[in-house]
Amino acid sequence: MKLARLYIPKYPNQQVFTLEKRIAAAFNGYTLYSFGVGVWRTPSGELMQEPVYVYDVVIKGEDDKAALEEILLQYKTEAEQQEVLYVYDNQPIFL
């Protein structure tokens, strides 16, 4: 088993609530680990930041990893995010 750590913008909106429900249903729960601030540079060079939720999800194998990515891609579309970041096996993954 491995942990996946998700970084999701901290907006109390329907997309975040739906994401949490999907993760809880697929993986029998999650840990809302902490709050943080995500910082990134836009293509035009502007430095941006926003508060984020940090979730830990237990991944039991490749099928779980694929299911998590599917859930995150749904969230990305529904929340109109340019990218979604998670870390798996100490490697950052941008979707």
Side-chain angles (χ1 to χ4, degrees):
M1 287 190 280
K2 296 180 181 180
L3 281 180
R5 181 157 289 162
L6 320 177
Y7 299 89
I8 304 298
K10 184 181 172 187
Y11 302 124
N13 60 29
Q14 189 59 46
Q15 290 86 4
V16 171
F17 298 140
T18 300
L19 173 67
E20 289 174 343
K21 288 179 186 176
R22 288 176 179 154
I23 291 171
F27 304 101
N28 296 316
Y30 58 84
T31 299
L32 180 55
Y33 179 70
S34 67
F35 302 99
V37 176
V39 180
W40 71 99
R41 190 170 302 281
T42 67
S44 66
E46 183 180 4
L47 196 59
M48 302 293 294
Q49 66 179 358
E50 66 185 346
V52 294
Y53 293 119
V54 181
Y55 298 87
D56 278 349
V57 179
V58 175
I59 303 296
K60 296 178 182 173
E62 288 301 312
D63 288 344
D64 277 358
K65 184 175 179 256
L68 177 63
E69 288 191 0
E70 182 177 326
I71 290 168
L72 291 175
L73 287 170
Q74 289 174 324
Y75 166 77
K76 177 183 174 181
T77 299
E78 292 166 359
E80 299 178 357
Q81 294 291 306
Q82 291 179 356
E83 288 186 315
V84 175
L85 166 66
Y86 80 101
V87 175
Y88 180 75
D89 201 18
N90 293 317
Q91 298 296 313
I93 299 171
F94 293 90
L95 300 175

